[in-house]
């Protein structure tokens, strides 16, 4: 793999640390990964949950935290590559992208829907843009749209496979259909589609593969498929520098393979999480009482949802792991101990 170029900066390892909301990947983790030569990513999803006015004014609390978490990351890695993951599904998606640009993001990665307006929101800045895609169809749709409407293409593309954590870009029945070989074929198709747009614009568009990237054997596997780099998220949860509570990290270490399951999200998308008392209640059909709306997702009706995803994720990141939503990747059960970002990077590129 060659190193990834983002603007005038070059990685030392072809690695993106995946964005994990709420509060799992903030300035601490992103700065540490950037310091080790990868690309550190801060998730903007309810990033201001620790602000004193978050309950009363989540929009402004989140915007302040977008700026302050970048400052924290830059203090750790002044010259590293640091960006944000901004979900398209957020109500405040546009405001978060603009705030990320203002904060000095090298890169904005956007998924959970098609980020059709990302070029417009970053226009005139040096911030690079990357869509997350899961199928060749979605890659074609977004790259064709940007080509026709904005006369530009992506600076980087992230392919997120069915072994990823959190919300997945597949229908539930597609997850099992995309076994190893089937999804390897899909990755090759996406790489060819990206290459076609790169050739049209006379640029090299790096492709990073995400989902199930845990050690060097996974890195080698996607290298053989033609990927330029990898995006790993779950692997960094059990590091000292991860911004989550120690009890969240320990939940990964305790989890068995059987406890990691596809679960229901209140917005209708499948997700992957560790089963616990909270999720058992949800899966049994119980409707969980929730706090007043914090305006996180665009397509959410607070009166109708089975549980509040913001409440679940905040409980988890604060360490209330039996009453929280513990999103994770398919290989979270492999975590054995708390180590450092440096050790995780060395393991990935051994």
């Amino acid at each position: 793999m060659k190193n990834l170029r983002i603007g005038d900066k070059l990685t030392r390892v072809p690695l993106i640390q995946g964005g994990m909301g709420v509060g799992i990947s903030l300035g601490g983790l992103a700065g540490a990964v950037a310091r080790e030569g990868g690309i550190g990513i801060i998730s903007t999803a309810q990033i201001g949950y620790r602000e004193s006015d978050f309950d009363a004014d989540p929009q402004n609390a989140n915007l302040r935290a977008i700026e302050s978490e970048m400052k924290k990351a830059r203090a750790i890695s002044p010259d590293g590559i640091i960006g944000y993951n901004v979900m398209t599904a957020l109500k405040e998606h546009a405001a978060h992208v603009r705030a990320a640009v203002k904060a000095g993001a090298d890169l904005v990665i956007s998924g959970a829907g098609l980020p059709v307006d990302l070029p417009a929101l970053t226009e005139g800045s040096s911030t690079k843009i990357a869509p997350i895609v899961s199928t060749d169809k979605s890659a074609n749709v977004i790259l064709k749209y940007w080509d026709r409407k904005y006369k530009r293409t992506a600076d980087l593309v992230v392919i997120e496979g069915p072994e990823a954590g959190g919300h997945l870009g597949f229908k539930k029945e597609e997850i099992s259909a995309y076994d190893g070989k089937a999804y390897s074929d899909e990755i090759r198709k996406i790489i060819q589609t990206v290459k076609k747009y790169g050739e049209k614009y006379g640029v090299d568009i790096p492709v990073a593969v995400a989902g199930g990237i845990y050690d060097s054997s996974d890195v080698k596997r996607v290298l053989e498929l033609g990927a330029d780099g990898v995006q790993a998220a779950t692997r960094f949860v059990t590091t000292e520098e991860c911004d989550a509570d120690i009890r969240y990290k320990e939940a990964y270490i305790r989890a068995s393979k059987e406890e990691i399951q596809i679960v229901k999200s209140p917005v209708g998308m499948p997700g992957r999480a560790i089963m616990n008392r909270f999720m058992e209640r949800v899966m049994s059909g119980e409707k969980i009482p929730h706090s007043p709306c914090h305006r996180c997702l665009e397509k959410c009706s607070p009166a109708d949802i089975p549980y509040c995803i913001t409440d679940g994720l905040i409980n988890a990141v604060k360490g209330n792991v039996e009453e929280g939503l513990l999103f994770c990747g398919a290989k979270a059960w492999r975590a054995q101990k708390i180590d450092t970002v440096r050790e995780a990077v060395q393991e990935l590129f051994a």
Side-chain angles (χ1 to χ4, degrees), residues 241-253:
E241 297 92 337
C242 176
D243 297 280
D245 187 275
I246 184 63
R247 289 167 290 184
Y248 186 100
K249 303 174 189 183
E250 289 169 345
Y252 274 46
I253 294 169

Side-chain angles (χ1 to χ4, degrees), residues 133-211:
V133 300
S134 293
T135 62
D136 186 44
K137 180 181 177 181
S138 60
N140 264 301
V141 168
I142 193 64
L143 294 176
K144 184 183 289 185
Y145 187 88
W146 286 3
D147 176 37
R148 289 181 174 177
K149 182 161 185 179
Y150 301 108
K151 302 294 186 289
R152 69 156 298 174
T153 193
D155 298 300
L156 177 146
V157 172
V158 177
I159 303 174
E160 193 168 273
E163 290 190 311
H167 286 122
L168 302 173
F170 305 90
K171 295 175 182 174
K172 190 171 183 179
E173 57 272 18
E174 290 177 321
I175 296 170
S176 56
Y178 275 123
D179 60 14
K181 183 182 184 305
Y183 201 68
S184 292
D185 292 341
E186 193 72 15
I187 289 171
R188 290 189 185 97
K189 289 179 189 174
I190 297 169
I191 289 171
Q192 287 307 307
T193 294
V194 173
K195 188 176 179 182
K196 179 178 71 175
Y197 282 93
E199 288 171 352
K200 178 173 182 176
Y201 283 88
V203 295
D204 180 32
I205 308 172
V207 175
V209 172

Side-chain angles (χ1 to χ4, degrees), residues 1-5 10-11 13-15 204 206 223 226-229:
M1 287 181 178
K2 55 184 180 289
N3 280 307
L4 308 174
R5 183 169 293 281
L10 192 67
T11 62
V13 284
L15 166 72
D204 180 32
L223 168 63
D228 300 295

Side-chain angles (χ1 to χ4, degrees), residues 22-232:
V22 171
I24 308 300
S25 65
L26 298 176
L29 178 57
V33 173
R35 184 177 58 198
E36 295 305 319
I39 300 175
I41 298 294
I42 299 165
S43 169
T44 72
Q46 301 298 51
I47 189 172
Y49 77 98
R50 294 179 298 191
E51 298 287 307
S52 60
D53 60 344
F54 176 70
D55 289 338
D57 189 4
Q59 295 97 314
N60 281 315
N62 286 330
L63 293 177
R64 280 199 311 277
I66 288 172
E67 181 180 6
S68 63
E69 291 299 328
M70 175 58 84
K71 287 179 179 176
K72 185 192 298 180
R74 282 279 172 235
I76 297 167
S77 180
D79 302 316
I81 305 175
I82 300 167
Y84 292 87
N85 180 294
V86 185
M87 295 197 304
T88 306
L90 295 176
K91 280 185 187 290
E92 303 296 327
H93 166 76
H96 283 205
V97 173
R98 292 191 187 101
V101 171
K102 184 180 177 184
D106 294 307
L107 173 71
V108 169
I109 298 175
S110 195
L114 294 174
V116 292
D117 57 352
L118 200 52
L121 295 170
T122 56
E123 189 176 7
S125 75
S126 61
T127 301
K128 304 304 179 184
I129 56 174
I132 296 175
V133 300
S134 293
T135 62
D136 186 44
K137 180 181 177 181
S138 60
N140 264 301
V141 168
I142 193 64
L143 294 176
K144 184 183 289 185
Y145 187 88
W146 286 3
D147 176 37
R148 289 181 174 177
K149 182 161 185 179
Y150 301 108
K151 302 294 186 289
R152 69 156 298 174
T153 193
D155 298 300
L156 177 146
V157 172
V158 177
I159 303 174
E160 193 168 273
E163 290 190 311
H167 286 122
L168 302 173
F170 305 90
K171 295 175 182 174
K172 190 171 183 179
E173 57 272 18
E174 290 177 321
I175 296 170
S176 56
Y178 275 123
D179 60 14
K181 183 182 184 305
Y183 201 68
S184 292
D185 292 341
E186 193 72 15
I187 289 171
R188 290 189 185 97
K189 289 179 189 174
I190 297 169
I191 289 171
Q192 287 307 307
T193 294
V194 173
K195 188 176 179 182
K196 179 178 71 175
Y197 282 93
E199 288 171 352
K200 178 173 182 176
Y201 283 88
V203 295
D204 180 32
I205 308 172
V207 175
V209 172
I213 306 297
Y214 201 85
D215 63 18
S216 61
S217 65
D218 300 313
V219 176
K220 289 172 186 171
R221 171 174 51 84
V222 299
L223 168 63
E224 290 168 2
L225 298 175
D228 300 295
V230 292
Q231 177 177 287

